Amino acid sequence: MACLLEAPLRISVLSEVTASSRHYVDRLFDPDPQKVLLGVIDMKNAVIGNNKQKANLIVLGAVPRLLYLLQQDSSGAELRTECAVVLGSLAMGTENNVKSLVDCHIIPALLQGLLSQDLKFIEACLRCLRTVFISTVTPVQLLYTDAAVIPHLMSLLSRSRRTQEYICQIFSHCCKTPDHQTILYNHGAIQNIAHLLISSSYKVQMQALKCFSVLAYENPQVSMTLVNVLVDGELLSQVFVRMMQRDKPIEMQLTAAKCLTYMCRAGAIRTDDNCIVLKTLPCLVRMCSKERLLEERVDGAETLAYLIEPDVELQRIASITDHLIAMLADYFKYPSSVSAITDIKRLDHDLKHAHELRQAAFKLYASLGANDEDIRKKIIETENMMDRIVSGLSESSIKVRLAAVRCLHSLSRSVQQLRTSFQDHAVWKPLMKLLQNAPEEVLVMASSTLCNLLLEFSPSKEPILESGAIDLLCSLTQSESPALRVNGIWALMNMAFQAEQKIKMDILRALSTEQLFRLLSDPDVNVLMKTLGLLRNLLSTRPHIDQIMSSHGKQIMQAVTLILEGEHNIEVKEQTLCILANIADGTTAKDLIMINDDILQKIKYYMGHSNVKLQLAATFCISNLIWNEEEGSQERQDRLREMGFVDILHKLTQSTDPSLCDRAKTAMQQYLA
Amino acid sequence: MSGQASGCGSLMSVVVHGDSALNEQEKELNQRLRLLYPAINEQETPLPRSWSPKDKFSYIGLSQNNLRVHYKGRQRAAKWQLAEFVRVALKSEAQILSTGRIGAWKKASCRLIDVNQSPEDLGSQTSFFPGSGEGDSIGDRAALLRLVLLENFLHGEQSNRPASTLAAWSGPKHLAQDKCSTASKLFTGAVISVKESAVAAESDGFEVCADGRRRAVGGAEDGYTGAESVGARGLLREPVGSPYSTRTALHTVSKNYTKPLAVKESHGKTPKDAASVRATHPIPAACGIYYFEVKIVSKGRDGYMGIGLSAQGVNMNRLPGWDKQSYGYHGDDGHSFCSSGTGQPYGPTFTTGDVIGCCVNLINNTCFYTKNGHSLGIAFTDLPPNLYPTVGLQTPGEVVDANFGQHPFLFDIEDYRREWQSKIQTQIDGFPTGDREGEWQMMIQKQITKTLQVSVTAVAKTIKRFEETGIHEDRTRMVSSYLVHHGYCATAEAFAKSTDQAVHEELASIKNRQKIQKLVLAGRMGEAIETTQQLYPSLVERNPNLLFMLKVRQFIEMVNGTDSEVRCLGGRSPKSQDSYPGSPRTFSSPSMSPSHSANIHSLTLVKSSGSHGHLAGFDSNCSNGVISNNAPNQSHCHKHQPSCLTTPDLNSINNTRSQQPNSYTSSSNDVDMETDRCSNGVSELSSNGFLNGSSKHDHEMEECEAEMDIDSTQLRRQLCGGSQAAIERMIHFGRELQAMSEQLRRECGKNSTNKKMLKDAFSLLAYSDPWNSPVGYQLDSIQREPVCSALNSAILETHNLPKQPPLAQAMGQATQCLGLMARSGSGSCAFAAVEDYLH
């Protein structure tokens, strides 16, 4: 009722403007119902296509009166219908109009109206509801507050073509979460809407199609049901394929392709199914062509990116279809230099879509280059590609930045590109800048890319280190998000691989042992694995091992014991045993193991473990401990013999696994020599 | 011998099977081509269905109904002939062996080896024949020899069948299994050396080979000489002249002697090894969208394959794309070659197992390729017309199969066609239209002269407008003028009323014409002439030729017994004739006297079925008038009229129209032209009227049928209806006609048309059964129509009204224009059939 409370004040300000509209509202209060009806009809004619008039009437408080009339049974069918029509007209106006309407509780009133028997009135209510719900300002949840609404809407689907169109449209706009999908699914949306796909009315077909696309999105349950649905004896997927024929309207082709894409991604259709490979994919590529509208191109590219993301074969096919990679380069040419001067309208249009186009192109490039080195090469060879990514990384729009990072991430999987174009364009600079204060999703992508850039062979490694990456990454490891923690520790791990002593010490210092141990007890197994990896990388080459163990030996040994005792999977244990083996390779560090009976017992236990990998890692550790030529090897050999290791080694030489057998034999030789 | 026989049997069965498969394939091909290119008239513009054995370079070999292409290379050409020779040799060897002349066989076998090996390999080869003529049994040696030969032969065919199985099928004497295997083991080395030497010889250029061959020829005797010299000649036919080829040849020869393998590598690397073949026919423009696919059966050694298009006259010793008017997509690098030796990066490379498609869009003159059913995007733009599908190969072992529609395509070309069809349709529907009739005519004329792409839209749009009735002034005028022209006055009247359109001709005049037409179509020529003379007194005077034609027709109708003059003398009147209320004569009536048959050579009895058809047509014409006066039927009538205009008719209308300028310029010929027109074009036009009538007749059919059935059972056709008086009258009339003809000749000079007309008409009397005589067609009621329409046109002309209805004219122009577009290479005509707009 906000609009009403403010009304007196506004009227004083807008008195001149609203004076002309006043009499429309006044007539709504006429005692003669016939006059009211005529007034409403006049009002209907006055507001059509006139946003100012709509705003005026809303300000003057027409909405509550109209709603009142609409709800009164005494009003008569015609008047109620006309009221709904006028309200629908008002909803067609600006966002503010819709907001005012929603604030006046128009939705419950209209939903109530649907219970009427009069089809015309129902249609008018649905039309108005549709208009309100397709606005972004309307809270979708309002449709689901009353549990009886959805079943009632389903039952109305059979009433007329208009009800079909409006209801499908409402569904497709109000289905935003998996919960919504489930509600609609449970009320038989699929069965009720499927036959509308072959309706004779294009509008109904289209809305039903859109409805399916939102229902199937990331929803395996719906998707699995959809593939088995028969419409007039034909499989739904075939109906969709028919809708993608090139002579069908673009909107229909695109939406049908979306449906199939979502069904495919939800696992209901195989990625090598002909309807995906030969129909959906080419259709989506066509949507990216220059002939299509900017919106369609954006939609097409995004959907295609989603479709091919997990499948390298689809990526390969897409990369050769219709020069897609070159076609996408055109997405960056908006607003075009020509349009700027000649056509203001076009410039405006271009500007509006420029960001969307760029981010869609980046997304698609990211998907295309996700797995195949040749495709990555082709992408990078596209004109000004690296420059575009670099500038994309620092664009104002978060969407573009995110997409650009994703693209960069895909391309960073190429060893060759890391060494060449990434270096040439100093990609690390904007990337590091991006990492400073970005929203989480961007951070995840960016840090993930950074992981690749920090690989030992990457020439970017040095400058990144110099720009203070260690502190940044260490702070990431303290993040709430597991993904960020993984990326942070992963990057540190990569950084520590075969690094200089100084870097290793810097990492340890920046990370602090407390944090290190916190990470070792991280609930996310990936974080644990990468932390162990970091430890292992830190503990390589003898001097480094000794130095680190001398300063942090106690804590590390504790952590190792803890993990070996804990409930962890094989990989984690193996990684831990490898750390032990590394420690055993040190000169002074060996003693830390030798004096620790507990650890030795554990090694012994793992040498007799059923898993070969663990046996191998444990044997490796022992082998390092008893290695001849090293100081004090004799004592260690003796001590370990006492503990019964020789017997175990002897047994292992009989192993069926050749590498384990070899390893055990080499160890035994240390004793024999 | 049994082995051979069974071998033959199985081969035969394969062939038979192949034949039925072939028919099936042919059927499928026809079906698919019809479906894909409905606008194509294959009589005029045949579609490519296979590679052309004529238009190929000699290095190319064709097989499998000229759909498979393989690379033979320079040497291969000779090798093929060699293979042929070996086959002959094997046969004669078998003969020798069977006759037991072992000595002769030994000689022959040595010679065979001679022929197959290049000189330097001969030494090693003989070492594999240690017992040549000594210890080994003849059977074994025969087998060994055959192995060498077959292996060599098969190498040429690129077959991978194991030697042992081949030995088993080939021999006149069966080899034991173990001997066979030893033989193949023994011979692996030899076979390889044979191959190598062959390859070496190949790269040497023909000089060396020819040399070797000549040596062989020198040592040859009797039966083999012919075959060998053929081989040698085959080699000599290869190009020698160009300095380029000699240089390469010399180069490779010098290299060859030291390092044969390196030479092997170099073969096929030079552009001069390239060879192309093109399809039998160029792609007709009326295809709109044309598509063919090529499957890479084997990439051969290097996969230097090009798939594309080339114009007539392009050098076939090149890969497609290298020369002017030649376009190709090459497998080794995935580049596209647009009339240039250097390619542009285009698509992925392709190799064994891939299917490459090539689609020519004749609407925007572009081309794109597909790989395994995936479109690769536009490769060429601004293509010239009349391109042939072409493939080129460059290295040994390359084999590709074409699919011109024999099999389903991997790429969904129909979907692509649909897109363009709807594009063209939208273009037509959205074409801006002027308001007045004149603008339309002008626009069409302009478009025709330009024969531009857009013309199709204008034309089709015009046509489209014809079928939409009502609302549009111009459109309605066209329709009403059509109605008026053909004298559908009631319909025209109603139409005019409903559309507020003034009819250019007075209704009375229309009715008059209608009356005359009715009379002519009923065969009552005498009355028709009389009425015409009454209503349009000056018309026949000014048109003596027209009058003559009418009179000749009258004579024919007299023979037919339908003309009013003979009918009142005893002929019968048509059933539905209201002006002659007298009951129709039946043939059982006494007036049918035997004397008739005495006078005229014989009286004819015509089968009732024939007369049934005759009468049906007759009646329908009469009922035409009745129905068009029938108010409730009006809307129905005018709706149906346009649909009855068939395309070929319109074509001919257009033809006659184009003759018009002539007749205006040479006024002395004016009269002649008039009659000409009658016999050529307008006759067709009038058949429209007939069809029209009959289509309407369908609705009245049921009413008439009962009566007609009775008639038909009783009807028998007799000269002049069987009346003696009528025959006399007819003969008298004939004399008058003769006199008139003579007079006409005196006044207007000789007129061959008139002369022939008269002669044909008189010829009717020469036959005992004129209806079944060679000139009997004149008696058919259909023949009334040219006369009818000539008369109608003449009357209209005197009133300064167009001789042809503009509606028919515009349709004719539209159809003609589409044909012109097809000929001039404008592909959009494929998707704009006039018929599509006539519903």
Side-chain angles (χ1 to χ4, degrees), chain B residues 426-474:
Chain B
T426 325
Q427 212 181 346
I428 291 169
D429 295 348
F431 193 81
T433 56
D435 274 340
R436 276 170 300 124
E437 194 177 340
E439 283 178 26
W440 274 106
Q441 304 255 329
M442 261 172 59
M443 194 179 315
I444 296 167
Q445 303 280 5
K446 230 196 292 184
Q447 301 299 353
I448 290 172
T449 49
K450 277 190 192 166
T451 64
L452 280 180
Q453 191 115 41
V454 215
S455 62
V456 69
T457 62
V459 170
K461 184 76 185 183
T462 327
I463 305 156
K464 188 178 156 61
R465 294 172 352 122
F466 299 150
E467 51 95 17
E468 298 165 5
T469 48
I471 307 173
H472 222 286
E473 194 193 337
D474 164 36

Side-chain angles (χ1 to χ4, degrees), chain A residues 244-248 277-279 281-282 286 291-292 317 320-323 378, chain B residues 346 348 371-378 410-412 415-416 418-419 422-423:
Chain A
M244 287 192 296
Q245 283 178 359
R246 290 169 179 238
D247 53 346
K248 293 281 187 303
V277 180
L278 291 174
K279 301 288 174 186
L281 189 147
R286 285 204 299 279
E291 292 163 38
R292 302 275 74 84
I317 293 168
I320 61 161
T321 303
D322 285 340
H323 301 301
K378 258 164 98 181
Chain B
Y346 167 67
K371 181 182 171 183
N372 301 325
H374 298 284
S375 158
L376 303 179
I378 298 285
L410 273 192
F411 178 71
D412 192 350
D415 200 24
Y416 184 71
R418 268 197 294 270
E419 182 183 0
S422 77
K423 263 187 200 171

Side-chain angles (χ1 to χ4, degrees), chain B residues 45 75 120 127 188 349 381 387 516 546 579 630 697 785:
Chain B
T45 50
Q75 189 55 36
E120 59 266 38
S127 70
T188 332
T349 59
T381 54
L387 292 172
I516 294 167
L546 178 68
S579 53
N630 214 346
H697 175 72
E785 293 182 9

